[in-house]
Amino acid sequence: MGVEGIGARVTRKEDKRFITGKGRYTDDMVVPGMKHAAFVRSPHAHARITNIDASAAKGMPGVIDVLTGKQIKADGIGNLICGWMIHSKDGTPMKMGAWEPMATATVRYVGDAVAVVVADTKAQARDAAERVEVSYEELPAVIHAVEAMKPGAPQLHPEAENNLIYDWEIGDSAAADAAIAAAAHVTEVDIVNNRLSPNPMEPRATLGVYDAAEDHYTCWTTSQNPHVARLVMSAFYNVAPENKLRVIAPDVGGGFGSKIYIYPEEIVCLWASKTTGVPVKWVADRTESFMTDAHGRDHVTKVRMAFDKDHRITGLKVDTIANLGAYMSLFSSSVPTYLYATLLSGQYVIPAIHANVRTVYTNTVPVDAYRGAGRPEATYLLERTMEIAARELGVDPAELRRTNFIRSFPYQTPVIMAYDAGDYDASLDAAMKAADWAGFPARRKEAESRGMKRGIGMSCYIEACGIAPSAAVGSLGAGVGLWESAEVRVNAVGTIEVLTGSHSHGQGHETTFAQLVSERLGVPIDSVSIVHGDTDKVQMGMGTYGSRSGAVGMSAIVKALDKVEAKARKIAAHLLEADEGDIAIENGELKVAGTDKAVPWFQMALAAYTAHNLPDGMEPGLKETAFYDPTNFTFPAGCYICEVEIDPETGKTEIIQFVAADDFGNIINPMIVEGQVHGGIAQGIGQALLEGVHYDETGQLLTASYMDYCMPRADDLPSFDLSHQVTPCPGNPLGIKGCGEAGAIGSPPALINAITNAIGTENITMPATPQKVWVAMQ
Amino acid sequence: MSEVTMTVNGRKVSGSCEDRTLLAHFLRENLGLTGTHVGCDTSQCGACVVHVDGKAVKSCTMLAVQANGTDVMTIEGLAGDDLHPVQAAFREHHGLQCGFCTPGMIMAATDMINRHGPGNLDEKTVRGELEGNICRCTGYHNIVKAILAASEAMAKGAGAKAA
Amino acid sequence: MYNVTYHRASSVEDAAKLAAGAAEAKFVLGGQTLIPAMKQRLAAPSDLIDLRHIAAMKGVTDSGGGIIIGAATTHAEVASNADLQAACPALCHLAAHIGDPHVRHMGTIGGSIANNDPAADYPAAMLALNARIVTNKREIAAADFFTGLFETALDEGEIVTAVKFTAPAKAGYAKFANPASRYAMAGVFVARSGGSVRVAVTGAGDNGVFRAENLEAALAGNFSPSALDGQTIDPANLMSDIHASAQYRAALVIAMAKRAVAAAG
């Protein structure tokens, strides 16, 4: 590897602007004549709108207009959609209720948009929004998924009887039942996966600009996938045809899934810009983010796992009820199905698996993918179940896992996935060694002498990243393809621009992607620029989520680089009067192997553009495009170990050590990969220990600010001990598996297994707050 | 409306704003200094931290009129010809990802090092001192590392200019 | 935030005069609680009268017989004041753990006690130290000053200018913070002067800060953590919310009381 190539710990090219305050986020954008929007939102979880009187608001200082759902509907703007069709096991399609960008008749969660005020300043818009008088007729609300399914529960959408969206299954129910019936031991566990708010530090924001002269719209927005946003706004919401709509996602301050989706605010601000004739900006405050950003997780599950007398797993049966909130968000339907139940084999040979999943509407914020998306839910239930089984069977938890590890690849699970490569023993061994697992009993004894309860727990996770190939996901109901695009432009002086459909909102693509180009073409990373996030600059792409940008986005760049190299070789061979097959590209030169004949990279590039001396019939220029559609998912896996100490007087958990041993396949920049794991673990620890969305029974959101929603802070966390084991992914040219979500997937069960080990009872749910731990210990 | 005059990053500036205007918004909207961010409504996330008269404060919890007559330093004013050692350490140790919390983190970290004295920080102290700054990307691991490294570098004389 | 008119007072008298002339004035010192409340439109004063620049309200004096802390003294200043470190280090410790460093640079002791947030730290110290709250009109014993949730004995337009107390022989403070807000979920200040022990609890009571008389009695004879073994706090008068039930808060109060006594030495 070179100092800037694959495998190098290169500091990030993008950092300079961020550490000097020169980042450009959506809220930093100012355009001439720009005005500010404030939304009027429902204070009720469920109500009929009987009247909207905006007359007082319209007379407030600075107010340009107050617009409502009836107006946006009259202008032909469509309802929000869910882009993944799931069929119930009886063959019927999922029951999608209408989600209007601003409600015209019924509001279904606290925060549902009802009207928008456009005014000179944000403060004036908010002043006026308070003066819009909306009359409501309150309806009974239902918050919990299990309650929503019961007869007589409040009904959210006429399309969905008993609020049931779909009743879906995967696997062989009879085989799983038979395994359970014949088992030497069955472990039964009730699992609750808590509801979370993603909380990127940059609140969502959008700036809609309508240009009447060109009949053209520009949408600046906090998006992880601007092209998907344009596609959806154009094809489904009728905002404008694609060629009349430019979507720009500039620097974006974190996403974690919550900025994948197209929300009402983008649509409304674009439309309002045309309606009012002024550019309209909206920036969420944090409470608005809690009330409107898609939440994550919120499952309840019954698990039965069957073992034979040798402690081999013979079957797994899972029954899950997932809360999707008041409306179906963009990819919400796929999360508790194909992103969840397909991972229920974990790292283990399980001959028979069956999962039944029911999703329901409730009067809560829509629920969609949040870092991990389905895979944390699968891992949590499997790894809690394995731990409890080991305790019931009286065997070492590591040994029980080893007894059941998959060791032969490729491995076809009973739930669609075909694992391509892995070495689960290697991660387990590395983690146990790093954690000094063997020394734990002595440490526990020492803690006891201080009156503290010490516990240790592990988790062996698998995930599936780079969701693909497009034809396969299409057959499972996806409304989009899941490929990625890249364009490599070699300029006439040899500098390079890579235009990628991936979007960086903290992942460091500007550096990692440049390292790939540097490795391949032997040019310094400073001469490589990564362009992303603008539909006018970059051809159609699919964006960044699901840990896909390395495995899929960079593979597209590899494909484009292959084409660039092939043409560059032809030009060099022509210039050097050599055979194309003898040309090697290294250290900024194209040379004839085994000779001292060479042409510098920039000279070859210049030759491509002067076109004075090109091979016969060759087109001038050097710019290539590629679309890469993977052949399979990738399967990162690893083992996490957590050790905790609990204060029995207060129930407070302190994390003493946290060890992560991950197999991400090949790694481009270890520094950036480690950073992804650190952040993922912190979010996983947040889920397990600190974070939880609470509603009261009437549907009021009780955790609507950082006063009540507990974000992990520096003193909640330890430093982390990381290592990497490498089995390259055979499915893509770089051997990359993806690293963005692993930390959030693997960590919650390790932490809860440690806490339950410390306190000697399994009866605790996430987040294991001091109060819950204290109660469990009483 | 009030006329507000203050020294920002060494330059005397004035502007007129409503009395309800927060210092953070005055910096961002009146002065175009958009490095100072607003990430919450409850004075907890610290994305807005700037120095007022040499002390770290949350600019979302101070009115611009309260800051009238003060000396304000924002992230844009921290570097001289070279990066401040704290900025350099954040880059060197990958103490940032999305960059949104970073300006507040760096301003908090420089204040922390100034108060404790360069070279006088340990991990536990740094973690405790970061109570008022939330980061969602890094898990704080590399932020802590960066602050400790900057503290040591400053003890050895790097970028002796106190921020 | 709603619109507001800001005034910078040059003296206590000036402040009182400005307040008298306003429709609905509020005094602001550090503003670390008031401004967030205004941002969320939970507080809507017509006029904001800034007391932060009144020199007479700043600083710490230890006259031997009594300690006076000016109301405009910030938490950071209290935490690092050498006289206070010598006279009552527990108060410095308390101040050093309010909010975060940035909040401590702005927030003041006077602002905190005048606001009387039921989860604020200073009220517990004032009550346990038997402090007197000095205003521009009178002196009020802490026991009479804190009257309920966000309620004090202050009259309209009355300004807290300082607090006064006699240094205790021993004192300690321990709090268990709300994991999210980091305000006290149970904060206990213990102070021993001669044979008398006062124990004040913040963050837990459903009517704000209160004295735990049974704990005081137990500690009067034996000022050690073990004296609190078997003591309980009645949950009936404690707050209950999503973070902590009254029962849990009751247990935390005992745990924090023991730690406060241990810290007092």
Side-chain angles (χ1 to χ4, degrees):
Chain A
M1 90 189 172
V3 290
E4 295 187 331
I6 291 175
R9 302 178 74 89
V10 178
T11 57
R12 298 200 317 172
K13 283 158 63 84
E14 48 269 76
D15 283 355
K16 178 95 186 266
R17 68 177 185 272
F18 294 129
I19 58 181
T20 56
K22 299 289 165 55
R24 293 279 278 161
Y25 300 88
T26 299
D27 188 24
D28 301 338
M29 300 302 161
V30 176
V31 298
M34 184 176 84
K35 306 297 180 189
H36 301 266
F39 282 82
V40 179
R41 298 187 181 281
S42 170
H44 304 297
H46 200 189
R48 252 189 289 280
I49 300 168
T50 54
N51 189 42
I52 299 176
D53 179 358
S55 52
K58 284 183 180 174
M60 294 281 286
V63 171
I64 290 156
D65 208 347
V66 180
L67 305 169
T68 65
K70 281 189 176 150
Q71 288 166 275
I72 197 169
K73 194 171 188 168
D75 280 352
I77 302 295
N79 291 338
L80 282 79
I81 55 130
C82 177
W84 196 306
M85 171 54 70
I86 299 290
H87 286 84
S88 286
K89 54 195 178 194
D90 66 5
T92 57
M94 65 189 189
K95 311 293 190 292
M96 187 157 56
W99 184 3
E100 299 167 321
M102 292 190 285
T104 57
T106 306
V107 288
R108 295 183 178 85
Y109 69 97
V110 171
D112 215 348
V114 173
V116 65
V117 177
V118 179
D120 288 340
T121 70
K122 187 177 177 183
Q124 287 172 334
R126 290 195 58 168
D127 290 345
E130 288 186 1
R131 299 290 296 276
V132 176
E133 286 170 28
V134 185
S135 307
Y136 296 99
E137 180 190 324
E138 274 191 74
L139 299 168
V142 63
I143 307 310
H144 300 289
V146 174
E147 297 298 316
M149 291 169 60
K150 289 181 180 165
Q155 298 293 296
L156 270 79
H157 296 279
E159 297 85 352
E161 196 182 339
N162 295 324
N163 299 310
L164 186 69
I165 300 169
Y166 54 74
D167 181 353
W168 174 91
E169 67 176 344
I170 191 170
D172 186 336
S173 184
D177 283 338
I180 289 164
H185 179 85
V186 177
T187 293
E188 298 193 28
V189 186
D190 287 334
I191 297 279
V192 178
N193 208 291
N194 46 328
R195 188 182 183 105
L196 304 169
S197 178
N199 273 294
M201 291 318 297
E202 179 204 24
R204 285 193 297 116
T206 188
L207 166 59
V209 183
Y210 177 68
D211 177 345
E214 303 286 346
D215 190 26
H216 179 276
Y217 295 82
T218 303
C219 172
W220 300 81
T221 184
T222 50
S223 173
Q224 299 177 216
N225 37 214
H227 289 87
V228 175
R230 183 176 70 158
L231 169 68
V232 173
M233 286 197 284
S234 174
F236 297 99
Y237 307 151
N238 307 320
V239 173
E242 277 175 298
N243 63 319
K244 293 289 189 183
L245 174 58
R246 176 183 186 184
V247 179
I248 304 171
D251 285 330
V252 172
F256 315 114
S258 70
K259 292 174 180 169
I260 295 173
Y261 326 114
I262 292 77
Y263 291 87
E265 291 84 3
E266 284 98 328
I267 305 165
V268 170
C269 285
L270 283 169
W271 166 76
S273 177
K274 181 174 187 180
T275 307
T276 60
V278 294
V280 177
K281 184 197 267 185
W282 169 79
V283 181
D285 59 30
R286 183 56 60 183
T287 291
E288 230 173 351
S289 302
F290 276 110
M291 285 199 307
T292 65
D293 289 7
H295 289 172
R297 317 229 157 83
D298 201 345
H299 282 196
V300 291
T301 297
K302 283 193 180 301
V303 186
R304 280 178 293 163
M305 186 180 274
F307 293 87
D308 69 12
K309 63 178 177 27
D310 300 321
H311 302 155
R312 289 186 196 282
I313 309 169
T314 54
L316 174 68
K317 190 124 188 182
V318 169
D319 185 3
T320 293
I321 298 170
N323 188 343
L324 291 194
Y327 303 102
M328 294 189 74
S329 175
L330 192 63
F331 290 114
S332 58
S333 55
S334 65
V335 178
T337 50
Y338 293 109
L339 297 181
Y340 161 68
T342 54
L343 273 301
L344 285 173
S345 198
Q347 298 187 353
Y348 312 115
V349 175
I350 306 180
I353 299 175
H354 179 262
N356 196 94
V357 179
R358 286 167 288 174
T359 54
V360 292
Y361 288 116
T362 63
N363 295 105
T364 62
V365 175
V367 177
D368 206 325
Y370 164 58
R371 199 172 196 167
R375 292 150 289 171
E377 296 91 310
T379 300
Y380 185 69
L381 83 79
L382 274 177
E383 291 305 294
R384 282 292 292 139
T385 304
M386 287 299 276
E387 196 74 21
I388 292 168
R391 290 170 190 170
E392 288 175 353
L393 294 166
V395 297
D396 181 86
E399 280 317 304
L400 184 65
R401 288 173 169 92
R402 281 190 214 280
T403 301
N404 289 285
F405 273 162
I406 294 163
R407 292 196 175 83
S408 162
F409 296 91
Y411 176 81
Q412 176 63 54
T413 74
V415 279
I416 297 181
M417 293 300 179
Y419 300 167
D420 52 6
D423 183 349
Y424 308 142
D425 290 286
S427 306
L428 179 62
D429 290 343
M432 288 177 76
K433 185 155 180 262
D436 184 20
W437 185 274
F440 174 72
R443 296 195 295 277
R444 168 176 268 179
K445 215 166 154 197
E446 186 279 329
E448 273 168 9
S449 74
R450 290 182 283 111
M452 302 298 271
K453 300 269 189 192
R454 199 151 169 134
I456 195 165
M458 65 167 54
S459 149
C460 296
Y461 76 89
I462 191 157
E463 61 163 323
C465 298
I467 173 172
S470 297
V473 297
S475 74
L476 300 178
V480 291
L482 287 163
W483 43 267
E484 194 48 88
S485 77
E487 180 179 324
V488 176
R489 291 182 188 162
V490 181
N491 297 318
V493 291
T495 57
I496 292 156
E497 282 144 15
V498 177
L499 293 82
T500 171
S502 298
H503 185 277
S504 186
H505 30 280
Q507 294 88 342
H509 295 171
E510 289 171 45
T511 305
T512 311
F513 291 8
Q515 284 180 260
L516 167 60
V517 177
S518 173
E519 175 84 18
R520 288 288 298 267
L521 303 183
V523 296
I525 61 170
D526 275 348
S527 66
V528 183
S529 294
I530 307 299
V531 179
H532 69 99
D534 184 342
T535 60
D536 260 17
K537 292 182 181 167
V538 183
Q539 65 197 350
M540 180 68 183
M542 295 309 298
T544 290
Y545 39 83
S547 307
R548 70 193 301 273
S549 296
V552 189
M554 290 183 82
S555 293
I557 298 173
V558 167
K559 262 188 90 175
L561 284 170
D562 288 345
K563 296 183 193 175
V564 164
E565 277 192 21
K567 186 167 179 182
R569 274 204 184 84
K570 282 195 174 72
I571 297 169
H574 181 73
L575 294 174
L576 296 168
E577 296 175 344
D579 192 87
E580 191 187 323
D582 291 338
I583 301 292
I585 302 176
E586 53 188 54
N587 297 327
E589 289 183 328
L590 299 100
K591 32 173 100 156
V592 182
T595 74
D596 58 359
K597 283 168 67 178
V599 55
W601 175 263
F602 73 88
Q603 207 169 311
M604 177 281 305
L606 192 61
Y609 286 93
T610 58
H612 296 164
N613 182 19
L614 290 177
D616 280 349
M618 180 182 275
E619 283 180 23
L622 189 52
K623 186 212 83 166
E624 298 290 351
T625 288
F627 287 74
Y628 172 77
D629 198 354
T631 53
N632 192 1
F633 290 74
T634 66
F635 297 97
C639 178
Y640 288 2
I641 293 175
C642 179
E643 190 165 330
V644 300
E645 215 166 88
I646 291 167
D647 179 344
E649 285 188 339
T650 63
K652 189 174 166 72
T653 299
E654 186 190 351
I655 300 171
I656 304 296
Q657 64 161 342
F658 199 102
V659 170
D662 294 292
D663 180 355
F664 298 133
N666 292 332
I667 288 172
I668 307 292
N669 185 327
M671 179 192 81
I672 286 177
V673 168
E674 287 161 13
Q676 289 293 309
V677 177
H678 296 152
I681 293 172
Q683 288 182 7
I685 290 174
Q687 164 159 32
L689 209 54
L690 307 167
E691 298 178 43
V693 170
H694 286 265
Y695 286 92
D696 72 11
E697 290 307 315
T698 69
Q700 292 297 323
L701 182 59
L702 300 179
T703 46
S705 80
Y706 293 149
M707 293 294 281
D708 290 303
Y709 189 88
C710 186
M711 291 285 277
R713 289 186 178 80
D715 60 1
D716 292 315
L717 303 170
S719 282
F720 309 116
D721 179 333
L722 269 48
S723 69
H724 301 301
Q725 294 71 48
V726 177
T727 61
C729 173
N732 62 60
L734 292 164
I736 290 177
K737 297 185 180 179
C739 65
E741 296 161 293
I745 293 168
S747 51
L751 183 48
I752 298 298
N753 287 342
I755 290 174
T756 51
N757 176 250
I759 64 177
T761 166
E762 306 296 345
N763 190 19
I764 191 139
T765 56
M766 299 191 292
T769 59
Q771 167 167 251
K772 279 194 200 162
V773 173
W774 180 84
V775 168
M777 290 174 77
Q778 297 308 303
Chain B
M1 297 291 274
S2 288
E3 276 300 313
V4 175
T5 301
M6 58 184 90
T7 304
V8 178
N9 300 331
R11 279 184 43 223
K12 195 150 188 173
V13 296
S14 8
S16 128
C17 63
E18 289 186 325
D19 288 7
R20 63 173 156 175
T21 306
L22 297 171
L23 175 59
H25 291 138
F26 183 78
L27 294 169
R28 288 179 55 81
E29 286 154 25
N30 290 55
L31 305 181
L33 295 170
T34 55
T36 298
H37 296 151
V38 177
C40 78
D41 329 320
T42 49
S43 309
Q44 283 163 308
C45 82
C48 65
V49 170
V50 301
H51 296 183
V52 173
D53 291 334
K55 292 189 172 109
V57 304
K58 288 178 164 162
S59 65
C60 78
T61 314
M62 186 176 199
L63 301 175
V65 283
Q66 282 178 291
N68 198 6
T70 63
D71 190 330
V72 177
M73 161 107 58
T74 71
I75 186 70
E76 289 93 344
L78 192 58
D81 292 339
D82 297 320
L83 291 175
H84 185 280
V86 174
Q87 292 171 313
F90 267 67
R91 179 165 69 178
E92 184 63 30
H93 296 279
H94 191 30
L96 64 148
Q97 290 180 28
C98 81
F100 195 79
C101 78
T102 308
M105 280 285 176
I106 288 175
M107 297 312 283
T110 52
D111 176 73
M112 189 193 308
I113 295 169
N114 290 343
R115 278 185 290 109
H116 288 264
N120 292 332
L121 290 172
D122 56 34
E123 177 171 346
K124 191 172 186 320
T125 306
V126 172
R127 287 184 181 275
E129 286 270 345
L130 287 177
E131 178 169 330
N133 293 81
I134 299 177
C135 168
R136 191 56 152 171
C137 294
T138 65
Y140 304 97
H141 181 109
N142 285 338
I143 289 176
V144 172
K145 229 162 103 180
I147 295 172
L148 289 170
S151 171
E152 292 303 319
M154 288 168 75
K156 290 185 187 123
K161 168 193 162 193
Chain C
M1 189 181 300
Y2 295 106
N3 248 326
V4 68
T5 303
Y6 171 88
H7 313 267
R8 190 174 286 190
S10 55
S11 66
V12 176
E13 298 71 30
D14 182 36
K17 210 160 75 191
L18 285 164
E24 201 182 327
K26 267 202 181 288
F27 299 111
V28 61
L29 275 160
Q32 300 300 287
T33 309
L34 178 58
I35 289 176
M38 290 171 69
K39 278 159 58 176
Q40 293 179 86
R41 300 184 173 228
L42 301 171
S46 65
D47 293 73
L48 209 51
I49 298 160
D50 190 348
L51 310 174
R52 203 162 58 96
H53 300 272
I54 300 174
M57 283 175 59
K58 291 188 200 186
V60 179
T61 51
D62 185 354
S63 60
I67 295 163
I68 301 174
I69 305 176
T73 310
T74 64
H75 307 325
E77 288 162 353
V78 169
S80 62
N81 183 275
D83 289 343
L84 278 175
Q85 281 287 359
C88 187
L91 192 64
C92 301
H93 169 82
L94 176 150
H97 291 84
I98 299 172
D100 58 55
H102 328 309
V103 165
R104 294 194 287 272
H105 281 147
M106 286 295 289
T108 63
I109 186 167
S112 172
I113 62 174
N115 185 52
N116 193 21
D117 188 309
D121 300 283
Y122 272 129
M126 295 298 102
L127 196 54
L129 291 169
N130 203 14
R132 297 185 71 76
I133 314 302
V134 184
T135 77
N136 57 337
K137 294 181 180 165
R138 54 184 168 150
E139 280 185 26
I140 309 168
D144 301 323
F145 182 85
F146 302 109
T147 55
L149 305 176
F150 299 100
E151 299 280 341
T152 67
L154 290 170
D155 291 333
E156 196 74 21
E158 189 171 9
I159 299 167
V160 174
T161 58
V163 301
K164 273 166 73 168
F165 63 94
T166 307
K170 284 182 171 184
Y173 181 65
K175 79 168 152 182
F176 193 83
N178 177 314
S181 71
R182 300 294 180 96
Y183 274 82
M185 212 145 78
V188 179
F189 200 102
V190 298
R192 180 185 177 193
S193 302
S196 134
V197 175
R198 290 169 71 102
V199 178
V201 179
T202 190
D206 66 359
N207 198 34
V209 64
F210 67 93
R211 278 173 68 187
E213 272 120 15
N214 60 325
L215 306 191
E216 293 179 351
L219 290 167
N222 174 16
F223 193 72
S224 74
S226 61
L228 299 175
D229 288 343
Q231 292 291 331
T232 56
I233 294 286
D234 185 358
N237 299 321
L238 300 186
M239 285 192 282
S240 192
D241 55 34
I242 58 171
H243 304 285
S245 67
Q247 287 77 10
Y248 178 51
R249 276 193 164 88
L252 287 177
V253 170
I254 299 296
M256 292 305 113
K258 287 183 179 181
R259 286 171 201 194
V261 173

